[in-house]
Every structure is written in structure tokens, then in C-alpha cells.
Amino acid sequence: MTYLEAISDALREEMRSDETVFVLGEDVGAFGGAFKVTDGFAEEFGPARVIDAPLAENAIIGAAVGAAVEGLRPVTEMQFADFIACGFDQLVNVAAKLHYRQGVACPMVVRLPSGGGFSGGPFHSQNPEAWLLQAPGLKVVAPSSPSDAKGLLTAAIRDPNPVCFLEHKGLYRHLREPVAEGEYVVELGKARTLREGDALTVIAYGSAVELATRAVDELGIEATVLDLRTLAPLDTAAVLEAAKRTGKVLVAHEATRSCGVGAEVSALVAEQAFEFLDAPVRRLTAPDVPIPFSPPLEQAVLPNLERMKEACDELLAY
């Protein structure tokens, strides 16, 4: 099953088992979604549960908030994660704060196709997780494999709080692996260890996880690769345990550098595991620039396997 098929499978399973789950977004009905995640959903579930919306992201998120408060479980699709900026008020000022202000559950998921690598340019290739992490009340999920995409989306739909679900577009049809049939749930807030070794730790999520595992495998080093899976809440225990055990930490992600997840993880390690470190925490990220449309320029900006291997080598040699 591909990463895309796993997302579609999780959504279909939840809609079949729970009539309160419905889909809302631009072109999610007859067209099947911008990337075909909801292909066939309109025929199976009908127009009352697969709702095509106008180009009005703030209205889509606002309608989802209202439905969630009334006991439904909406799953909205932003065609491209970049467009969540247009729905920001309803997401960060209303959905994220409903439980804190009124003790009201708001069980909704915002699916966010994110990331670059296909020359989509600066309006269709962003990784907006840092915007979302600054809004207490939101959970933020970023799966790196088909199995996790299914298990984490199922958990997100069942969660009583608003969950932002980052789907890397470059992984949609690139990754394929066996995925559990039927109900499959992966707990939110728990990282997973993909490689275990004492030479160094690479902490990654989303598209950077495959780069990290390939890099340590090709370098032949005994390194730990930790996939964060969920960015909020962050699995701080897993991060600190790996940092203390290896003493050298590289944090890798595709999003831009400043005030990102890499900065947050670096600060966490510096504050709570400084005496265990044998080298400064290093980050491998995109630079603080818009994602270029030009394919050569885009490739020059995005993290890649060679840069991952160089970063590991430099950290090992410190």
C-alpha cells in the first residue's frame, strides 16, 4: 500500500465504522480530492458526508469547528498545506482554544498536503508546522511511512481535540509497504526508533526520516534514527533518552530553519541533557527562503541524502 493509499484507507475505515465522520474540502467529492485521497468516497458515502466546499478555507475550518462542537467528526482537506494560512483565524483562535475557554471538545482533523520536490513553487510547497506549533491546543502529526500514515490518521480522527495532519506530498506515491488491514491505530505523541546505535542520534520526521535511515545505512555507522511522528505533543522522553545515550544529536527536517522543530528540539536537549553531549546539537534543514519554482533551485534548497551524510560525518568527526 502506498502512503496515499494508507491515508485513504484509514479515512474510509473510519467513515464506515462511525457515521459522525465526514469529509469537507475543495474538490473532495466527484473529483476525489486534489491528489485523489478521497477518490470514490462520494459514490460510497454520498453528498451528505463528502462535501465539496467553495474556495474559502476560513469557512471550511469554521464549518468544521461548528460540526465538531455539535458532536460530529469532520475531516477537512486543505488542497495544499500552504492554504491553511487562509483558515488560520478559525483554527488557532477558535478550534485550538475551545477546550481551554469553554471545556468543549472539538474533534476535527485538518489534512495538510505539505512539502516540496515537485516544482510547485512557493505557494504549494511549504512545510507550515512551525506556524501550528505556536498555537497551544492543536496537536500536530507528521507521519513518515504508509503504516504510520494509516495508524496516526485513525488516532487523529478519534481524538477529542483538533489535529493538524501533515502529509508529505513527495511520499504519497514514493513510499510503499505492507499495511495492516482493517482497524489500525498508532498512539499520538509517541516517537519510534528505526535504527539503534551509540555513534550519534538523528532525530527526524516526515520526508527527512527516509533520508536519515538511508544515510546511516550507506555510511555503515551504528547510529540511532528517531522518528518523532508527532510534533505536538512532542515525545520529550524519547528525545532525551537518545541524546543522553549517544551524546551527539542531528535534527533533520525539510521545513525552514529559524524557530522550527529543529530549534525546539535543540533547545530541549541543551536545557535538559547538556552534560551528556560530546558535540553541539546540529540541524539539517531548508534555509530561510521561499521554496523556488525552478527545479534546479528547488533541489539546491531542499535537504537531500548527500547533505544528510555530510552532516552525520561532520558530527561523528567532532
Side-chain angles (χ1 to χ4, degrees), residues 7 10-11 14-15 20-25 28 37-38 41 49-51 60-61 64 67 72-78 107-111 153 156-158 163 165 167:
I7 292 168
L11 187 52
E14 288 306 288
M15 291 185 69
T20 67
V21 180
F22 74 96
V23 173
L24 173 66
V28 296
V37 168
T38 56
F41 278 47
R49 296 181 66 197
V50 184
I51 302 172
I60 294 171
I61 301 296
L72 301 178
R73 291 184 178 273
V75 179
T76 69
E77 177 182 300
M78 296 291 107
M108 57 181 282
V109 175
V110 182
R111 292 185 39 242
L153 181 57
I157 293 171
R158 297 180 183 184
V163 179
F165 194 82
E167 306 166 2

Side-chain angles (χ1 to χ4, degrees), residues 114-180:
S114 63
F118 65 105
S119 300
F123 294 159
H124 299 81
S125 304
Q126 296 180 84
N127 294 278
E129 52 265 36
W131 305 350
L132 308 169
L133 295 172
Q134 280 285 328
L138 296 179
K139 292 181 178 177
V140 182
V141 179
S144 68
S145 72
S147 291
D148 271 5
K150 178 173 180 177
L152 290 167
L153 181 57
T154 302
I157 293 171
R158 297 180 183 184
D159 197 276
N161 300 293
V163 179
C164 297
F165 194 82
L166 293 156
E167 306 166 2
H168 196 284
K169 299 190 293 292
L171 303 182
Y172 270 156
R173 295 174 175 84
H174 170 65
L175 292 183
R176 180 186 293 273
E177 67 179 6
V179 176

Side-chain angles (χ1 to χ4, degrees), residues 61-290:
I61 301 296
V65 172
V69 169
E70 290 298 318
L72 301 178
R73 291 184 178 273
V75 179
T76 69
E77 177 182 300
M78 296 291 107
Q79 290 190 329
F80 293 85
D82 319 56
F83 302 164
I84 192 57
C86 301
F88 224 51
D89 179 52
Q90 288 294 323
L91 183 65
V92 307
N93 287 328
V94 182
K97 296 177 175 62
L98 269 173
H99 178 74
Y100 177 77
R101 294 174 66 195
Q102 296 171 281
V104 175
C106 187
M108 57 181 282
V109 175
V110 182
R111 292 185 39 242
L112 298 160
S114 63
F118 65 105
S119 300
F123 294 159
H124 299 81
S125 304
Q126 296 180 84
N127 294 278
E129 52 265 36
W131 305 350
L132 308 169
L133 295 172
Q134 280 285 328
L138 296 179
K139 292 181 178 177
V140 182
V141 179
S144 68
S145 72
S147 291
D148 271 5
K150 178 173 180 177
L152 290 167
L153 181 57
T154 302
I157 293 171
R158 297 180 183 184
D159 197 276
N161 300 293
V163 179
C164 297
F165 194 82
L166 293 156
E167 306 166 2
H168 196 284
K169 299 190 293 292
L171 303 182
Y172 270 156
R173 295 174 175 84
H174 170 65
L175 292 183
R176 180 186 293 273
E177 67 179 6
V179 176
E181 295 183 2
E183 180 178 293
Y184 179 64
V185 184
V186 174
E187 182 180 0
L188 302 183
K190 298 292 184 184
R192 65 169 177 160
T193 302
L194 294 174
R195 299 285 188 277
E196 197 159 20
D198 295 335
L200 60 84
T201 294
V202 184
I203 299 173
Y205 62 91
S207 63
V209 173
E210 184 190 22
L211 295 178
T213 53
R214 288 181 60 190
V216 301
D217 289 347
E218 292 188 16
L219 290 170
I221 56 177
E222 298 293 327
T224 293
V225 176
L226 187 69
D227 178 2
L228 291 174
R229 287 172 151 173
T230 303
L231 309 181
L234 185 67
D235 191 347
T236 56
V239 169
L240 293 173
E241 189 279 330
K244 290 177 181 178
R245 182 163 49 80
T246 65
K248 293 184 177 181
V249 176
L250 168 65
V251 191
H253 56 67
E254 187 180 301
T256 49
R257 188 177 188 83
S258 296
C259 302
V261 174
E264 180 63 28
V265 172
S266 299
L268 171 70
V269 173
E271 287 175 348
Q272 299 191 35
F274 180 77
E275 63 269 32
F276 295 89
L277 295 180
D278 296 320
V281 179
R282 183 186 172 96
R283 286 176 287 168
L284 177 64
T285 71
D288 293 332
V289 299

